[in-house]
Amino acid sequence: MSPLNDDHLRRFAERGSVVIPNVVPPTLVEAAMQRIDRLVEQNPPPADRRGFHFYWEQNPADTDPLVALLQGSSAREIVQSLIAPLALAKLEQLQVSLNIPVWNHRPGGPHIDGLKITEPSGRPGTFTLLAGIFLTDQTASDMGNLWVWPGSHNVAASYLCEHGPDALFDIEHPTYPMESPEQVLGRAGDLFLGNYLLGHNMGGNTSAVVRRVVYFRLQAEGHRTRWRDCVRDPLLEFEPARMALNRHR
């Protein structure tokens, strides 16, 4: 039985993202928090830093407590069930994302990842989906929440069907008409899943807590060979979501 039900799958298909609660147990969350504490101690943000601050880990080891958030919980199984029958490729990178208060910020619009810096071949840095694991609660707005523009993955795909897949480079900061943004809510241990084409951005943090999320930019095996098709069909690598959507039409 799939860990995702039809409501989850249909929401992902229609809106481009979904939050699955209680995926990562507290023991793994606490180990990851301690690992980030060490990162911050070794390479602290500037004293006057407010808002975003990132740490990047390339080709992280399976023994890394940050990787365990994905590999040691049901998160990997959930991701795999979303892209079946495709298989998940080896993890290449993870991002520790901090949002330091107090930061009175409201994003002016969304962005799409992987377009500012391309791969050595010149290929855009597309991937299959963004998986984020909450390490701190974001149960109300303006707690450093991720902002998403629901349905914008479908708008992007329509744009790229019309203009061609290489026009992806023109929409790093898309300006086509989209629904109003929403702030993503969740608790420590919850899993966020977002379509690659979904417009998103980081919002302000007026709480008293440094928001912590670990993001994984995941690819299905063979994604690099079919990226041009993926950006014109936002469910190409999400057959279970497509099937759930069709069942309810």
Side-chain angles (χ1 to χ4, degrees):
M1 182 177 177
S2 171
L4 298 177
N5 61 38
D6 265 21
D7 287 342
H8 295 139
L9 293 168
R10 194 169 69 254
R11 182 179 180 87
F12 183 87
E14 294 175 338
R15 299 175 64 81
S17 69
V18 66
V19 174
I20 311 299
N22 302 315
V23 171
V24 180
T27 52
L28 294 183
V29 170
E30 178 57 30
M33 289 286 276
Q34 293 177 8
R35 170 81 163 85
I36 295 172
D37 287 343
R38 293 194 293 273
L39 285 175
V40 172
E41 181 180 354
Q42 293 164 4
N43 187 15
D48 60 350
R49 169 72 75 188
R50 298 294 179 268
F52 60 87
H53 188 77
F54 304 140
Y55 298 93
W56 299 88
E57 301 283 325
Q58 304 295 330
N59 300 309
D62 289 343
T63 55
D64 190 321
L66 301 177
V67 175
L69 295 169
L70 177 71
Q71 309 278 33
S73 72
S74 60
R76 182 183 176 87
E77 179 189 4
I78 290 170
V79 170
Q80 185 61 66
S81 74
L82 183 57
I83 66 172
L86 299 174
L88 195 59
K90 178 177 172 54
L91 180 65
E92 298 179 0
Q93 178 196 85
L94 64 82
Q95 176 192 18
V96 175
S97 177
L98 309 184
N99 192 321
I100 303 170
V102 171
W103 190 38
N104 290 299
H105 171 72
R106 300 184 76 81
H111 67 258
I112 295 175
D113 288 341
L115 303 178
K116 185 171 301 207
I117 301 175
T118 63
E119 294 185 352
S121 66
R123 192 192 80 85
T126 66
F127 47 90
T128 301
L129 81 163
L130 180 67
I133 294 174
F134 296 69
L135 299 184
T136 57
D137 292 347
Q138 295 149 66
T139 54
S141 298
D142 303 319
M143 297 181 70
N145 313 58
L146 182 71
W147 287 42
V148 297
W149 277 254
S152 58
H153 63 309
N154 291 321
V155 183
S158 295
Y159 179 92
L160 295 169
C161 281
E162 179 180 355
H163 296 278
D166 291 307
L168 180 64
F169 288 106
D170 300 330
I171 58 171
E172 179 185 359
H173 300 282
T175 57
Y176 37 64
M178 290 170 279
E179 289 187 27
S180 298
E182 297 178 354
Q183 297 192 45
V184 177
L185 304 181
R187 294 183 180 276
D190 291 357
L191 170 66
F192 167 85
L193 298 173
N195 190 294
Y196 167 73
L197 288 173
L198 182 72
H200 60 281
N201 216 329
M202 183 182 286
N205 187 356
T206 59
S207 77
V209 177
V210 176
R211 188 222 67 176
R212 290 181 172 184
V213 177
V214 176
Y215 286 115
F216 303 90
R217 289 165 173 82
L218 302 174
Q219 292 187 26
E221 288 184 353
H223 172 83
R224 284 185 171 89
T225 66
R226 58 177 174 266
W227 73 266
R228 287 185 169 86
D229 296 322
C230 292
V231 300
R232 290 176 290 181
D233 179 356
L235 296 183
L236 182 65
E237 296 182 311
F238 304 104
E239 188 59 25
R242 192 196 304 276
M243 293 172 63
L245 189 62
N246 290 339
R247 281 193 292 270
H248 289 265
R249 282 178 171 166

